[in-house]
Amino acid sequence: MNIAAVPLESHDDPQASQGRVIEPGTVDLAHGAILYLEGISVSFDGFKALNNLSLMIETGELRCIIGPNGAGKTTMMDVITGKTRADTGTAFFGQNIDLSRLSEAEIAHAGIGRKFQKPTVFEAHSVFENLELAMKVDKRVRHSLMAELDSAQRDKIAATLAMIHLDDSADRPAGLLSHGQKQWLEIGMLLMQEPQLLLLDEPVAGMTDEETERTAELCNTLAGQHSLVVVEHDMDFVTRIARKVTVLHEGSVLAEGSMDTVQNDQRVIEVYLGR
């Protein structure tokens, strides 16, 4: 079933989300872009967190978002994932999915995954079990750790363990992992749900230098396989992964381009990078 053929009712309709099926993998990417934000504004008690923000992310792109505290980075992610509703503007996933008409759960199911700053894992369960619990399964079927995995599912978990550098810790309780390893595990849990767009909020905050380097390698590996939007303050990390950088300031795009371009932009130097 193609989601473009599914009428998406407004959330003003109390029946809007009842009976609607969002099929992952049906995002219309014909024009090459996976995310469109146009004219997005959000105000909180008179404070404009986003001010006519427009942004486009290409399919398979790794985009870094930087900017000072209060620039609107987290609010932007909240709008994309349905946590916050825009006062004005439009937000589309591909050409055909109006994010403003979907709930947070529907947006996640459609193929947008978000990792918050603080990792959230099932600490009493093993790393393997965390990935198993996160696996995208038919939600109409009761699924638990007692269910038998087939070979394809085991192979998928094994591949994800290797990608997130935790294949040697598969049987270890997640609660015993380092902070950086928990961050990788949460990224792995998102990957098990097969998102097309990954939003990573300060993924290297609190990491060691070695963990930061491995996270950069992971992001570079994921780019192309997935579209990534990475919000980060660690400029050394951004330099390692940046293809294109967007600088937000006071809820709007201040500058955009390569890392060299934004680092040498006088406006960016004044409001964020310093001299």
Side-chain angles (χ1 to χ4, degrees):
M1 182 174 71
N2 192 315
I3 195 166
V6 179
L8 298 179
E9 303 89 339
S10 167
H11 271 284
D12 292 335
D13 179 356
Q15 304 298 319
S17 61
Q18 294 184 13
R20 181 170 59 226
V21 178
I22 305 300
E23 293 288 349
T26 57
V27 184
D28 182 356
L29 304 176
H31 291 180
I34 196 166
L35 180 69
Y36 298 85
L37 303 180
E38 184 172 356
I40 298 289
S41 292
V42 176
S43 295
F44 299 111
D45 297 325
F47 170 73
K48 215 154 198 179
L50 294 179
N51 184 14
N52 197 33
L53 174 67
S54 294
L55 183 73
M56 183 176 72
I57 306 297
E58 299 289 339
T59 303
E61 180 182 356
L62 194 168
R63 178 74 63 89
C64 292
I65 309 290
I66 64 174
N69 291 331
K73 304 181 296 296
T74 297
T75 304
M76 178 195 72
M77 286 193 168
D78 288 346
V79 169
I80 295 169
T81 56
K83 185 177 180 181
T84 295
R85 298 294 172 186
D87 300 328
T88 60
T90 56
F92 270 79
F93 186 36
Q95 295 286 313
N96 58 330
I97 301 180
D98 184 348
L99 296 175
S100 69
R101 297 186 175 189
L102 302 183
S103 68
E104 288 184 70
E106 288 167 340
I107 290 172
H109 188 65
I112 298 179
R114 178 180 185 180
K115 198 206 81 60
F116 290 86
Q117 293 178 24
K118 183 178 179 180
T120 304
V121 299
F122 300 104
E123 297 200 345
H125 290 288
S126 71
V127 170
F128 186 98
E129 289 170 341
N130 270 264
L131 296 181
E132 182 181 356
L133 286 166
M135 187 180 296
K136 182 180 284 292
V137 295
D138 187 341
K139 299 302 183 183
R140 294 171 298 182
V141 179
R142 291 183 63 85
H143 177 73
S144 72
L145 293 173
M146 299 300 293
E148 190 70 27
L149 294 175
D150 61 32
S151 60
Q153 290 172 322
R154 287 190 173 278
D155 288 347
K156 181 178 178 181
I157 292 175
T160 302
L161 284 168
M163 180 175 287
I164 62 175
H165 312 295
L166 292 177
D167 40 340
D168 292 336
S169 301
D171 297 324
R172 192 177 187 191
L176 298 181
L177 297 177
S178 70
H179 171 75
Q181 289 173 322
K182 288 179 181 177
Q183 297 277 37
W184 298 338
L185 177 55
E186 187 169 25
I187 292 173
M189 292 169 72
L190 287 176
L191 293 176
M192 294 303 296
Q193 299 185 39
E194 303 172 358
Q196 291 178 276
L197 174 63
L198 272 169
L199 310 178
L200 305 181
D201 195 353
E202 297 191 32
V204 299
M207 285 191 180
T208 65
D209 289 344
E210 181 181 357
E211 290 171 339
T212 297
E213 182 62 38
R214 286 198 168 192
T215 304
E217 293 172 2
L218 175 58
C219 288
N220 286 323
T221 298
L222 292 174
Q225 302 176 45
H226 306 266
S227 304
L228 280 80
V229 174
V230 180
V231 169
E232 187 53 71
H233 285 291
D234 186 326
M235 297 310 296
D236 289 337
F237 173 74
V238 172
T239 300
R240 290 188 182 114
I241 68 171
R243 276 78 158 173
K244 188 173 184 179
V245 180
T246 298
V247 185
L248 298 189
H249 178 57
E250 296 182 347
S252 302
V253 174
L254 178 67
E256 194 168 85
S258 68
M259 191 63 182
D260 285 342
T261 297
V262 300
Q263 281 182 318
N264 290 293
D265 189 301
Q266 189 60 37
R267 299 167 301 168
V268 178
I269 293 171
E270 291 175 358
V271 305
Y272 185 52
L273 296 179
R275 296 184 181 276

